[in-house]
Amino acid sequence: MWFEAMLIGILCYLGALSSPWLLGLTGGWYILSRPLVSGMLVGAILGDVQTGIIIGVAVQAVYIAMVTPGGSMPADLNFVAFPAIALGILSGKGPEVAVALAATIGIMGTVLFNAMMVLNSYWNHRADAAVEKGDERGIYLNSAIWPQVTNFLLRFIPTFTAVFFGARYINAFMDSLPGGVLTTMNVVGGILPAVGIAILLKQIIKSYSMLIYFLVGFICIVFLKLNMVALVMVGALLALIHYNYKPEPQAATVQATPQADDEDEF
């Protein structure tokens, strides 16, 4: 199990927000750290791709509307994507429990993210001192090497520890929890994806009348049992109707009111 834990730890580092290796943010943070992608990769490493994808989809729905302006994060999606999903697969308790675990570990991950920011400020001060001394090697080490070493240790060690030891104890730990705790985790885990979708709709919908299209898609999936190909065709038809056949906005016409002419009164 140590080899699988090591691979997941390396992927966690490669998908970190400050990792430059996979085309920077493009290949790391915006691709590798998406729960849908990481769920497939972690599932392949742990030998259960189907469960990994199912859990990845559920976790992705929770964080689908999360943004990180200026590095400010309500939850560390990188820890959600790797150690949390790995523990969710190893627990064997279903996607609902995995979502609850992911939400908890993601919030805890912000502590390590802030710790990395504090340590990086230390390396920045050392780099400034190297600039004043004209030490090119010191500038390179303190601006490129040591920050990445810090980032690697803060990503790899917690992930490796959680997966390696979690594989041994997660099942016994989950079975030892009272039934009420597991029920609560199932309920909360089932609600969180709906919360993520609601936040996304709040951001992208300008008029509440647009919610009718979301409800049409919901009806097509739940009641009509349409597959994704049919749903895409229905969505394309609705988009065509909305953008090509909607009535043009009426221009405000100002009607000139006749003004009384004082000369006509005489």
Side-chain angles (χ1 to χ4, degrees):
M1 190 64 197
W2 65 270
F3 182 70
E4 290 84 352
M6 185 179 66
L7 287 179
I8 296 174
I10 293 174
L11 288 175
C12 185
Y13 163 67
L14 292 176
L17 187 62
S18 302
S19 179
W21 306 113
L22 299 178
L23 299 177
L25 294 177
T26 302
W29 179 253
Y30 288 114
I31 295 179
L32 201 62
S33 278
R34 299 302 100 177
L36 185 59
V37 177
S38 65
M40 179 191 66
L41 296 175
V42 173
I45 293 173
L46 297 177
D48 194 349
V49 178
Q50 181 177 358
T51 302
I53 293 175
I54 292 174
I55 292 177
V57 169
V59 175
Q60 181 72 73
V62 178
Y63 296 95
I64 193 170
M66 193 187 81
V67 294
T68 56
S72 175
M73 294 189 297
D76 194 326
L77 190 61
N78 184 247
F79 278 102
V80 169
F82 291 100
I85 289 182
L87 290 177
I89 296 173
L90 294 172
S91 68
K93 298 298 180 181
E96 293 83 5
V97 174
V99 167
L101 286 174
T104 305
I105 295 175
I107 295 174
M108 295 173 59
T110 56
V111 177
L112 292 177
F113 177 78
N114 292 328
M116 184 191 69
M117 295 291 103
V118 172
L119 292 174
N120 282 344
S121 65
Y122 169 74
W123 300 124
N124 288 336
H125 287 303
R126 287 176 59 94
D128 292 339
V131 171
E132 295 176 357
K133 297 177 181 178
D135 183 5
E136 296 182 1
R137 183 174 182 274
I139 296 172
Y140 176 73
L141 290 175
N142 290 287
S143 61
I145 301 300
W146 300 130
Q148 286 304 313
V149 171
T150 303
N151 190 19
F152 176 80
L153 294 177
L154 289 178
R155 297 289 169 178
F156 179 83
I157 293 177
T159 302
F160 178 85
T161 304
V163 176
F164 183 73
F165 292 101
R168 301 179 182 181
Y169 304 113
I170 188 65
N171 288 327
F173 173 74
M174 298 300 295
D175 293 335
S176 65
L177 292 176
V181 175
L182 288 177
T183 302
T184 302
M185 294 179 70
N186 278 297
V187 173
V188 172
I191 293 175
L192 286 177
V195 174
I197 296 296
I199 295 174
L200 178 64
L201 292 176
K202 181 67 176 179
Q203 292 179 356
I204 64 176
I205 289 182
K206 297 180 180 180
S207 174
Y208 286 108
S209 62
M210 299 289 289
L211 287 173
I212 190 65
Y213 297 114
F214 174 77
L215 296 177
V216 169
F218 180 80
I219 291 172
C220 290
I221 289 290
V222 176
F223 297 102
L224 299 181
K225 308 296 183 182
L226 297 182
N227 56 28
M228 292 305 298
V229 175
L231 187 64
V232 168
M233 296 177 66
V234 172
L237 177 62
L238 292 176
L240 179 67
I241 294 174
H242 179 80
Y243 288 103
N244 289 349
Y245 298 104
K246 64 180 179 180
E248 295 293 333
Q250 298 293 329
T253 57
V254 179
Q255 295 180 356
T257 57
Q259 298 181 354
D261 192 351
D262 294 338
E263 296 181 356
D264 292 341
E265 296 179 358
F266 295 99

